[in-house]
Amino acid sequence: MNRTWWKEAVVYQIYPRSFMDSNGDGIGDLKGITSRLDYLRDLGIDVIWLSPVYQSPNDDNGYDISDYQAIMAEFGTMEDFDELLAQAHARGIRIVMDLVVNHTSDEHRWFVESKKSRENPYRDYYIWQEGKDGETPPNNWGSCFGGSAWQYDEATSMYYLHLFSKKQPDLNWENQKVRQEVYDMMTWWCDKGIDGFRMDVISLISKTPEMPDGEIRGLYGDFGPHCFHGPRVHEFLQEMNDKVLSKYDLMTVGETPGVTPELACQYAGETTQELNMVFQFDHVDSAGKYGKWTDEKTPLTSLKETLSRWQTGLYEKAWNSLFWDNHDQPRAVSRFGDDRPQFREMSAKMLATCLHMLQGTPYIYQGEELGMTNYPFHSPDDFQDIESINAYREWCTEGPASHEEFWPCITAKSRDNARTPVQWDNSPQAGFTTGTPWLPVNPNYTEINAKAETADPDSVFHYYKKLIALRKQNPIIVYGKYQLLLPDSETLFVYTRTLESEKLLVVCSFSCQETAFTIPEEFLGASCLISNAERSYDRPDITLRPYEAFVLHRNS
Ligand code: GLC
Ligand code: CA
């Protein structure tokens, strides 16, 4: 297996709107990020993945871009960006940009032109179709954010495709000019010195040309089979690699909904010239009677089965990215751990152990290193996120679900859980802003905040810091071969990693109760790399504390 810097790196995701506000307008910004780089250096991360900072009307918080080569006014200026990049580099931190090129904003210059007439030179930059017999959209696809995926445009009497909001029209990747524009723009950023791209829904860029109806899922047809991994997606990515990526030393990660281990070996194979790694969603996807909106917990046996399938499926063929949460997911500790006060820290450390000892590049979502939790929503008016707002309207206000039934589901999953401001200290608004934050601060900031945790050697923060440092000192954490033990245990996630004569045993309890465990003989008396509880490891039969985790290391 090739050894490379991005396999050995730890990535930290910043959602700029919620990270740090420097000027009191309640919105996080670039200067705010720069002001916190020393905190990130102290944590020890190698790479920042910056969620979009480009000019945007913010229908989907920056994932709707109206100019790829300008900075969103609320976030600052291009000079602020250059300063952030220089300051990050000075601290040995690389910056990976979010690349959102499945769609643009409807306020992008290309779309403004495209809409003007059927003959406009930019018409073919987007996906326009005639309706079926006048009034009906070209097919039954539903958009990810509710409603039809087609929007009728009066001026030219045609529909355009938007897999996300109607302010996010899909680009037409079949058009070679579109691809060249994207490659030129990417080259421009690379020449500025950025260090890579996280590619938004990149598995969706090639659509089945016939665009047939999808199977009805909930209220609309599912576009998945006709848009995920479409017929030309690999060709496009190889072209992008050839024209841009291969010319620089970059880290690339594709967000690839619907991906399988087999497909990942194509997108991010050791020998295929496309991407370095992909985000898969098998372990965070959910489906219940209201689509993704459910408060059910994934059983540990199936979580282990899923993650193990990815560990073994990619071994020596492709590279995993590891994450529990991001800006689209609820908070890790609330979802996979236990955010009740008596268990929060233990379970946050346990989850971190479990993830960071797997094979792949770990991603930390801002605030995860503090054990930040889901937000206690009071009413639907609390939501700011377009997906939550539309889902509540579609399923509840106008749809079949009662508020009582739907409320626990949407509050468990709302993307706003991850988007409340980072909790820096215990001053008003958690030190995030001197003004009024765009999304309220979680009231638990008085307990959970960076200032308190950086001062406390037993904090979740220091635990993450230690995990990151261990990765630097122990190649086995990066390159060791994974093997799952106790697949049927409903409370314990136990696995080994092996590299030449070295072996790790990783033991994680996902239970809020004490659990019996027997240390395998070969690890008796082995040294402990990290743990969230005090104990000795020289007797086989032990009783794990709730959410206990430890890693033993032997070298024979
Ligand atoms: C990706 C982003 C998400 C965004 C969507 C549309 O899934 O992570 O935040 O809403 O794409 O761009
Ligand atoms: Ca600001």
Side-chain angles (χ1 to χ4, degrees):
M1 193 179 336
N2 295 327
R3 298 196 170 195
T4 59
W5 65 265
W6 46 263
K7 289 180 179 168
E8 296 167 13
V10 175
V11 184
Y12 186 93
Q13 183 191 353
I14 291 184
Y15 193 69
R17 216 174 178 72
S18 308
F19 189 69
M20 180 66 205
D21 175 24
S22 72
N23 63 352
D25 67 355
I27 298 173
D29 46 51
L30 295 176
K31 282 204 165 96
I33 300 173
T34 307
S35 75
R36 296 291 184 181
L37 285 173
D38 285 334
Y39 167 83
L40 296 178
R41 176 171 58 184
D42 180 31
L43 180 58
I45 55 105
D46 307 280
V47 178
I48 292 171
W49 151 24
L50 199 55
S51 275
V53 295
Y54 315 95
Q55 185 178 300
S56 162
N58 281 308
D59 189 50
D60 184 20
N61 285 351
Y63 283 90
D64 48 320
I65 297 168
S66 53
D67 185 343
Y68 291 102
Q69 277 153 264
I71 298 292
M72 191 191 300
E74 292 164 319
F75 288 174
T77 62
M78 196 56 83
E79 286 67 48
D80 296 338
F81 178 85
D82 293 339
E83 177 68 10
L84 168 61
L85 187 62
Q87 291 295 335
H89 284 170
R91 289 166 178 77
I93 297 174
R94 306 192 207 223
I95 295 192
V96 161
M97 304 293 283
D98 218 309
L99 182 77
V100 188
V101 288
N102 173 69
H103 44 267
T104 69
S105 163
D106 65 338
E107 297 181 35
H108 193 287
R109 178 174 65 81
W110 302 335
F111 192 73
V112 172
E113 286 299 317
S114 186
K115 261 176 82 150
K116 284 185 178 161
S117 73
R118 293 185 178 213
E119 292 75 41
N120 189 281
Y122 288 89
R123 187 68 171 179
D124 274 349
Y125 272 46
Y126 296 86
I127 302 172
W128 291 96
Q129 289 215 354
E130 305 276 358
K132 273 194 216 149
D133 34 80
E135 298 293 275
T136 335
N139 68 27
N140 70 358
W141 296 355
S143 116
C144 289
F145 295 157
S148 165
W150 296 93
Q151 176 68 22
Y152 185 67
D153 179 55
E154 301 261 329
T156 56
S157 314
M158 283 177 87
Y159 288 83
Y160 66 85
L161 180 69
H162 60 89
L163 297 182
F164 295 88
S165 100
K166 62 174 189 269
K167 287 184 66 64
Q168 293 167 298
D170 281 54
L171 282 166
N172 176 18
W173 275 71
E174 300 289 324
N175 183 344
Q176 202 268 325
K177 277 196 218 141
V178 167
R179 305 204 297 276
Q180 195 55 50
E181 298 258 23
V182 170
Y183 305 149
D184 291 347
M185 175 272 283
M186 292 171 71
T187 300
W188 186 86
W189 281 101
C190 290
D191 288 342
K192 234 181 199 309
I194 61 134
D195 304 288
F197 296 103
R198 173 269 185 188
M199 303 187 187
D200 196 64
V201 291
I202 202 71
S203 57
L204 269 58
I205 56 176
S206 163
K207 280 88 177 166
T208 308
E210 304 76 35
M211 303 208 188
D213 278 344
E215 198 181 311
I216 295 288
R217 288 268 178 86
L219 309 171
Y220 288 89
D222 177 17
F223 64 68
H226 314 295
C227 297
F228 291 158
H229 329 295
R232 298 183 68 190
V233 67
H234 297 295
E235 175 197 336
F236 295 157
L237 287 174
Q238 282 157 22
E239 183 182 71
M240 178 195 282
N241 188 293
D242 180 50
K243 297 207 167 181
V244 188
L245 307 177
S246 61
K247 303 198 157 81
Y248 303 87
D249 180 22
L250 303 175
M251 186 193 107
T252 55
V253 49
E255 189 203 23
T256 48
V259 73
T260 59
E262 296 68 40
L263 279 162
C265 292
Q266 175 70 38
Y267 281 117
E270 289 271 323
T271 55
T272 56
Q273 309 297 313
E274 296 183 27
L275 305 173
N276 294 149
M277 55 188 136
V278 295
F279 287 125
Q280 60 85 14
F281 295 93
D282 287 346
H283 67 303
V284 292
D285 276 344
S286 57
K289 91 177 184 222
Y290 308 125
K292 71 172 263 189
W293 308 101
T294 165
D295 60 349
E296 263 168 47
K297 279 212 168 192
T298 314
L300 183 64
T301 42
S302 90
L303 187 65
K304 290 192 291 189
E305 186 278 318
T306 304
L307 289 171
S308 301
R309 190 157 39 79
W310 279 87
Q311 289 289 299
T312 39
L314 266 52
Y315 185 65
E316 288 187 332
K317 295 192 198 122
W319 194 249
N320 271 293
S321 23
L322 308 170
F323 69 99
W324 288 127
D325 58 2
N326 60 36
H327 66 295
D328 294 329
Q329 301 289 335
R331 288 280 174 187
V333 70
S334 300
R335 180 178 190 178
F336 296 104
D338 192 331
D339 63 11
R340 289 176 290 176
Q342 70 273 35
F343 296 126
R344 186 188 62 85
E345 288 193 41
M346 280 293 280
S347 67
K349 292 173 183 173
M350 181 279 289
L351 288 172
T353 314
C354 184
L355 194 82
H356 282 243
M357 291 295 145
L358 291 172
Q359 183 166 60
T361 298
Y363 289 71
I364 301 170
Y365 178 67
Q366 64 184 34
E368 180 191 326
E369 80 282 12
L370 304 172
M372 277 178 62
T373 66
N374 277 357
Y375 183 78
F377 297 99
H378 301 294
S379 93
D381 298 333
D382 290 345
F383 296 131
Q384 289 268 353
D385 174 30
I386 181 170
E387 186 191 39
S388 303
I389 293 171
N390 291 356
Y392 189 84
R393 192 189 54 239
E394 212 162 78
W395 285 105
C396 236
T397 318
E398 297 168 1
S402 72
H403 175 82
E404 287 62 39
E405 258 191 76
F406 194 61
W407 188 243
C409 301
I410 193 160
T411 52
K413 285 309 216 35
S414 173
R415 307 195 296 181
D416 280 336
N417 282 306
R419 300 177 180 186
T420 63
V422 171
Q423 296 162 205
W424 292 106
D425 58 37
N426 62 358
S427 68
Q429 310 302 356
F432 163 73
T433 180
T434 54
T436 308
W438 72 279
L439 193 64
V441 170
N442 193 313
N444 63 21
Y445 75 92
T446 49
E447 305 289 312
I448 306 171
N449 64 69
K451 188 170 173 210
E453 295 201 25
T454 47
D456 170 9
D458 283 332
S459 64
V460 178
F461 175 87
H462 278 279
Y463 197 88
Y464 268 88
K465 186 170 164 170
K466 186 164 181 196
L467 280 172
I468 297 168
L470 282 171
R471 167 171 296 261
K472 309 277 175 258
Q473 299 146 11
N474 297 278
I476 185 171
I477 297 176
V478 181
Y479 296 108
K481 182 172 186 182
Y482 169 91
Q483 194 191 347
L484 181 68
L485 306 182
L486 308 180
D488 299 326
S489 167
E490 276 153 27
T491 47
L492 301 181
F493 196 155
V494 182
Y495 60 88
T496 58
R497 302 285 305 280
T498 309
L499 187 70
E500 291 153 19
S501 62
E502 281 179 84
K503 203 162 175 185
L504 296 180
L505 174 73
V506 182
V507 177
C508 298
S509 169
F510 277 69
S511 172
C512 65
Q513 279 161 15
E514 293 190 337
T515 310
F517 176 69
T518 306
I519 300 176
E521 209 184 309
E522 56 174 334
F523 285 100
L524 284 178
S527 62
C528 176
L529 281 190
I530 189 165
S531 72
N532 62 0
E534 284 283 315
R535 76 160 61 250
S536 84
Y537 302 93
D538 37 23
R539 277 183 299 114
D541 293 317
I542 59 175
T543 305
L544 297 170
R545 290 175 48 189
Y547 302 109
E548 183 170 339
F550 60 80
V551 181
L552 300 182
H553 180 215
R554 59 168 280 232
N555 201 341
S556 60

